Amino acid sequence: MKKRILFLLILISHGITVAQVYPYTENFNTMPSFANPTGWTCTIPGFQVYPNHGNGSQGLTKNMFALGPVADSAISPLIGPLTTTSVLSIQYRIMQSNLYPCCSYVMSPGDGIDIFALDGASAILLYNIDNTNHVADTGFQTLQLNVGSLAG
């Protein structure tokens, strides 16, 4: 089953005063459970904050498998300004929804999660999780992406 999930992360603020101050941490623990994530934009309704779905007590989650092939996105609040040493850290896991919580999802060719930075004018692909680099595990995987080159 082909799935494409697009996570668009707004990371760059060129002089915008309403940005989240870096370093910025979001663990979703202060947000209401079973609600859309406060301050985030989702292209298709369904991304929600769920209890017991994260390394803390809550996490952002969506059942993509009930929808058939789909592209969807969750856009974070604006974060910045960035510095040359800024890092984006993401913890994720992909589970089989029909067997949750026992079984992780093994990605097939064509499955993917794209992580972008938006600077107001263009989308910059930071990383692509696909069948060649995804670790199918029930534990969370951590990505550390250097975004210092986007500072300025």
Side-chain angles (χ1 to χ4, degrees), residues 16-132:
I16 299 173
T17 59
V18 295
Q20 303 294 322
V21 177
Y22 184 84
Y24 170 74
T25 300
E26 180 58 75
N27 60 17
F28 304 101
N29 288 339
T30 61
M31 295 184 189
S33 296
F34 307 109
N36 292 328
T38 305
W40 288 62
T41 303
C42 301
T43 57
I44 299 174
F47 276 103
Q48 291 187 330
V49 177
Y50 272 66
N52 304 313
H53 278 74
N55 272 342
S57 61
Q58 297 204 137
L60 183 63
T61 187
K62 177 156 187 173
N63 181 352
M64 300 295 291
F65 297 95
L67 301 175
V70 66
D72 199 357
S73 65
I75 303 171
S76 77
L78 190 64
I79 302 168
L82 299 179
T83 68
T84 57
T85 59
S86 293
V87 174
L88 173 65
S89 178
I90 299 171
Q91 294 178 333
Y92 81 96
R93 68 180 178 176
I94 304 171
M95 305 295 292
Q96 292 187 40
S97 60
N98 60 332
L99 300 173
Y100 184 83
C102 82
C103 303
S104 61
Y105 179 71
V106 177
M107 292 180 125
S108 299
D111 292 348
I113 298 173
D114 294 331
I115 302 168
F116 289 90
L118 303 176
D119 68 0
S122 59
I124 302 158
L125 181 65
L126 298 176
Y127 195 77
N128 170 261
I129 302 167
D130 63 18
N131 66 302
T132 65

